[in-house]
Amino acid sequence: MRTDGGFAMSDLPMGTEDGFRHLFETNPQPIFVYDVKTLRIVAANEAFLLEYGYSREELEKMDARQLHPPEDAGQLGLIYEPSRAGVFKGARKMARPGMRHRRKDGSTFDVETLSSPLSFEGIDAHMVVVRDISDRRKLEALEARCRALFDHSRDIVLMLTWDGRIVDANRAAMRAYGYPREELVQLKVSDLRDPTTLTEVERQIERAQHDGIFFETRHRRRDGGIFPVEVSSTTIEVGGERLLLSVVRDTTDRRKAAEDQRVADSRLQLLVDEAPEGLGLIRNGRILYANPAFALLAGASDPAQLSGAALADLFAAVDRVEVARLVSVRGGQPPSEHQLRLRSATGPDILVAVVARAVPFEGSAAVILAVRRAPNS
């Protein structure tokens, strides 16, 4: 294989061929030359040899197709046949997705090529400049994944300059605020805030720039509707520019669910507190909770006084074995009523009817007791 001559540049001024050959050999980009008809590799520069790991003697026995991994054979026709057919008379840039070259050690890398026709030792040839774009492809894939996460996030995502101007917004933001993207990027984040919260914006942006910030506030839709949000904002760098990334979550549904739960809890608490029957929650033989009716029967002025007390201590000694059985009831067993004697601090024991039912509670088993005065007490 010759690289100290052979480039026919007859239409160029004297000395140009030597200069061209010098540029070919010293170019830091891998370059090779192949015969258009046979696809045999006829020349390669030092950068090519270093990148691919072949010796010149090995390249003399190869054609251009062998620079591609076998699994990419299906696209070789699209790469080389147009050159053979003379379709391209000038420079041709190839940047097909998935176009790869293979080194001698079998490793592959994504490439972009620029090929130009020329005459080499009297044969029609193409000179190909190769650029390794593996890192660029990885970056493009990463950017595509980030963009997919950005666009498909259920949370609102905004990118802001440090003065609060919106430079990008995802689909969730468009749905939430009612603006098309073209209008959103003409706004500042303050335009999306409840007017009564505007005095906080400058301070929050400043904190986000330095330490990141998480806070709750209220945002405003295009139609003027106000909704509660929680915001997490921090500094990121995009293309050398420092921006604020704000992830905004509409908490309307969560707040409604919390309020619904609060109302349900208050109703349940009212039902338990006002129940005429004594109710107690027992675990491991001790009282976790007792309602006022239970406390009254046990002679306590406040249900909290019974918290943590051993249930057996509230009953007459002769009934303690039965009490132990009650608090050991298992799930699935039908509740049964028992008449026991509840101790009184001021008078005779009180005959009570007790029903026990096993329930799951905070990951373990507990027992609910219902206690009322026996009819004949």
Side-chain angles (χ1 to χ4, degrees):
M1 179 180 298
R2 292 180 53 195
T3 57
D4 55 351
F7 292 104
M9 311 290 288
S10 58
D11 56 340
L12 296 179
M14 184 67 67
T16 300
E17 183 176 340
D18 288 339
F20 181 83
R21 185 167 59 248
H22 176 73
L23 289 175
F24 175 83
E25 286 297 341
T26 60
N27 198 303
Q29 292 290 120
I31 305 174
F32 71 99
V33 179
Y34 69 91
D35 183 330
V36 170
K37 292 183 179 179
T38 66
L39 302 184
R40 184 174 60 87
I41 297 173
V42 294
N45 69 351
E46 287 295 330
F48 183 95
L49 299 177
L50 289 172
E51 177 65 44
Y52 287 76
Y54 292 105
S55 66
R56 294 190 186 278
E57 291 72 22
E58 289 171 319
L59 283 177
E60 287 179 348
K61 303 173 184 177
M62 295 173 58
D63 68 45
R65 290 169 296 193
Q66 292 173 273
L67 297 178
H68 300 264
E71 58 269 26
D72 294 350
Q75 61 176 316
L76 298 187
L78 296 173
I79 296 172
Y80 295 107
E81 287 307 318
S83 300
R84 286 174 126 176
V87 173
F88 294 99
K89 302 297 184 182
R92 180 192 183 199
K93 183 177 181 180
M94 287 285 291
R96 295 179 58 83
M99 188 168 77
R100 301 179 298 165
H101 276 185
R102 183 177 61 169
R103 301 181 182 90
K104 181 180 178 180
D105 64 9
S107 60
T108 61
F109 56 102
D110 295 308
V111 296
E112 177 181 273
T113 62
L114 178 65
S115 65
S116 300
L118 80 165
S119 178
F120 181 86
E121 296 183 342
I123 62 175
D124 290 334
H126 265 249
M127 182 177 68
V128 182
V129 181
V130 182
R131 177 177 296 172
D132 182 348
I133 59 170
S134 298
D135 290 341
R136 191 176 81 191
R137 289 280 191 240
K138 291 176 183 176
L139 181 60
E140 289 171 351
L142 178 61
E143 288 176 346
R145 288 195 292 270
C146 290
R147 189 74 212 184
L149 289 172
F150 181 80
D151 277 338
H152 294 287
S153 171
R154 296 181 63 182
D155 289 329
I156 299 162
V157 183
L158 303 172
M159 285 191 184
L160 316 171
T161 59
W162 282 18
D163 62 356
R165 182 171 53 84
I166 300 170
V167 296
D168 204 354
N170 68 347
R171 296 173 186 172
M174 295 178 238
R175 289 193 299 268
Y177 298 112
Y179 292 98
R181 184 181 178 280
E182 294 73 19
E183 291 186 34
L184 269 175
V185 296
Q186 300 299 318
L187 302 176
K188 285 192 169 185
V189 70
S190 55
D191 297 318
L192 303 178
R193 293 285 291 264
D194 178 349
T196 63
T197 69
L198 291 180
T199 57
E200 307 166 356
V201 174
E202 186 175 346
R203 176 183 59 82
Q204 289 164 344
I205 288 178
E206 184 177 354
R207 281 191 57 193
Q209 292 171 4
H210 294 94
D211 306 314
I213 188 173
F214 178 85
F215 61 95
E216 293 185 345
T217 187
R218 294 178 300 281
H219 277 193
R220 180 175 60 176
R221 298 185 177 88
R222 187 181 190 182
D223 62 9
I226 303 296
F227 60 102
V229 296
E230 59 184 22
V231 181
S232 176
S233 188
T234 191
T235 301
I236 62 171
E237 187 169 313
V238 179
E241 182 181 10
R242 291 174 69 80
L243 299 172
L244 290 179
L245 177 69
S246 288
V247 180
V248 182
R249 177 165 294 178
D250 183 345
T251 58
T252 301
D253 291 342
R254 192 175 71 196
R255 285 173 176 255
K256 183 179 183 303
E259 177 60 20
D260 290 346
Q261 186 63 51
R262 186 195 66 78
V263 171
D265 289 346
S266 66
R267 289 173 178 171
L268 178 61
Q269 190 65 49
L270 177 65
L271 181 65
V272 171
D273 287 348
E274 298 301 324
E277 197 170 58
L279 299 174
L281 181 63
I282 316 300
R283 183 167 60 186
N284 298 327
R286 293 190 174 273
I287 300 171
L288 294 180
Y289 173 80
N291 73 343
F294 194 124
L296 182 63
L297 285 170
S301 59
D302 186 343
Q305 294 175 350
L306 298 179
S307 181
L311 181 68
D313 291 344
L314 301 183
F315 290 86
V318 295
D319 289 334
R320 290 188 177 183
V321 173
E322 191 63 29
V323 171
R325 290 181 183 150
L326 281 175
V327 297
S328 301
V329 66
R330 296 178 179 276
Q333 292 180 339
S336 58
E337 185 173 303
H338 301 261
Q339 288 201 350
L340 304 173
R341 285 167 285 277
L342 197 62
R343 294 172 57 191
S344 173
T346 58
D349 294 344
I350 304 169
L351 190 62
V352 293
V354 181
V355 177
R357 179 188 292 274
V359 294
F361 179 73
E362 296 181 348
S364 62
V367 173
I368 292 179
L369 285 187
V371 184
R372 57 182 173 81
R373 284 182 175 270
N376 55 351
S377 63

